[in-house]
């Protein structure tokens, strides 16, 4: 069983004489254009790390540094549920424009114009609710797992350094 038509096609090409391949799908990512909303108009960035400690720590530090040097931009970090408790007590000096989310993905995405991710599949939901995706290359093994790797769109932005984020936001 596969989660999408493209995977079914690829596996059928390679394995069809050995096994039956069927698309099961995944309703989390099955979007109709009528279900999607327009891009949000705010100065808020949603940061969505995956469930690994290393990526969460990297995106937290990146977010803190960016928020500190850009007080007019708001950042919301929405940790994966399996790692959230480890980061609730993560000690960063307080910044007025950096918040750790205690809300759901719909609310966080609806308040944000952009969504920074590396390997989190929550990017699909963020896009659905109006965020422009920005892929941050962290220099970690999780960089190899970009969930949007097959999407061909000029809206997806790619960054490594904070100054590259400045250019996108302008």
């Amino acid at each position: 069983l596969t989660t999408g038509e493209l995977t079914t096609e690829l596996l059928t090409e390679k394995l069809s004489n050995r096994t039956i391949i069927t698309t099961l799908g995944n309703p989390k990512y099955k979007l109709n254009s009528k279900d999607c909303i327009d891009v949000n108009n705010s100065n808020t960035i949603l940061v969505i790390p995956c469930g690994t400690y290393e990526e969460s720590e990297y995106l937290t530090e990146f977010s803190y540094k960016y928020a500190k040097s850009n007080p007019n931009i708001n950042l919301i970090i929405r940790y994966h549920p399996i790692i959230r408790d480890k980061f609730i007590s993560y000690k960063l000096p307080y910044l007025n424009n950096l918040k750790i989310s205690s809300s759901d993905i719909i609310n966080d995405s609806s308040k944000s114009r952009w969504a920074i991710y590396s390997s989190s599949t929550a990017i699909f939901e963020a896009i659905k609710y109006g965020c422009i995706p920005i892929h941050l290359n962290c220099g970690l093994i999780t960089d190899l797992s970009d969930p949007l790797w097959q999407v061909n769109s000029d809206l997806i932005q790619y960054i490594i350094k904070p100054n590259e984020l400045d250019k996108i936001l302008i």
Side-chain angles (χ1 to χ4, degrees):
L1 299 175
T2 69
T3 58
E5 294 296 327
L6 183 58
T7 305
T8 301
E9 287 177 34
L10 291 170
L11 290 174
T12 300
E13 201 175 286
K14 301 285 185 191
L15 304 171
S16 65
N17 60 347
R18 294 185 229 160
T19 188
I20 298 170
I21 300 162
T22 305
T23 304
L24 175 64
N26 185 335
K28 180 177 179 181
Y29 307 122
K30 187 173 184 179
L31 301 177
N32 296 316
S33 60
K34 66 180 188 233
D35 296 331
C36 296
I37 63 172
D38 292 332
V39 171
N40 300 322
N41 190 14
S42 75
N43 67 337
T44 302
I45 301 170
L46 176 61
V47 180
I48 43 180
C50 74
T52 69
Y53 186 85
E54 294 80 14
E55 184 177 307
S56 296
E57 183 177 48
Y58 188 91
L59 268 71
T60 299
E61 295 294 332
F62 179 92
S63 299
Y64 178 79
K65 288 175 187 171
Y66 194 80
K68 187 174 180 181
S69 63
N70 294 278
N72 60 327
I73 302 293
N74 298 310
L75 288 95
I76 302 170
I77 304 176
R78 184 170 202 293
Y79 294 106
H80 190 284
I82 65 171
I83 199 139
R84 186 175 189 280
D85 289 345
K86 289 182 181 176
F87 281 89
I88 292 297
S89 60
Y90 197 83
K91 298 296 181 205
L92 289 173
Y94 176 79
L95 293 174
N96 193 41
N97 61 331
L98 179 65
K99 306 282 186 239
I100 294 176
S101 174
S102 59
S103 186
D104 62 29
I105 187 76
I106 296 169
N107 189 37
D108 290 339
S109 298
S110 298
K111 288 193 253 180
S112 305
R113 179 171 178 85
W114 304 276
I116 294 178
Y117 75 101
S118 182
S119 66
S120 175
T121 57
I123 191 61
F124 289 105
E125 290 167 290
I127 292 168
K128 179 179 180 179
Y129 294 106
C131 294
I132 299 170
I134 301 172
H135 183 269
L136 175 61
N137 186 330
C138 302
L140 300 169
I141 192 72
T142 56
D143 288 341
L144 300 174
S145 300
D146 180 356
L148 299 179
W149 72 277
Q150 291 180 313
V151 177
N152 185 13
S153 172
D154 292 337
L155 277 178
I156 304 169
Q157 302 295 313
Y158 298 90
I159 63 170
I160 297 172
K161 300 175 192 166
N163 67 329
E164 295 169 327
L165 181 55
D166 290 337
K167 293 174 187 173
I168 291 169
L169 301 186
I170 293 169

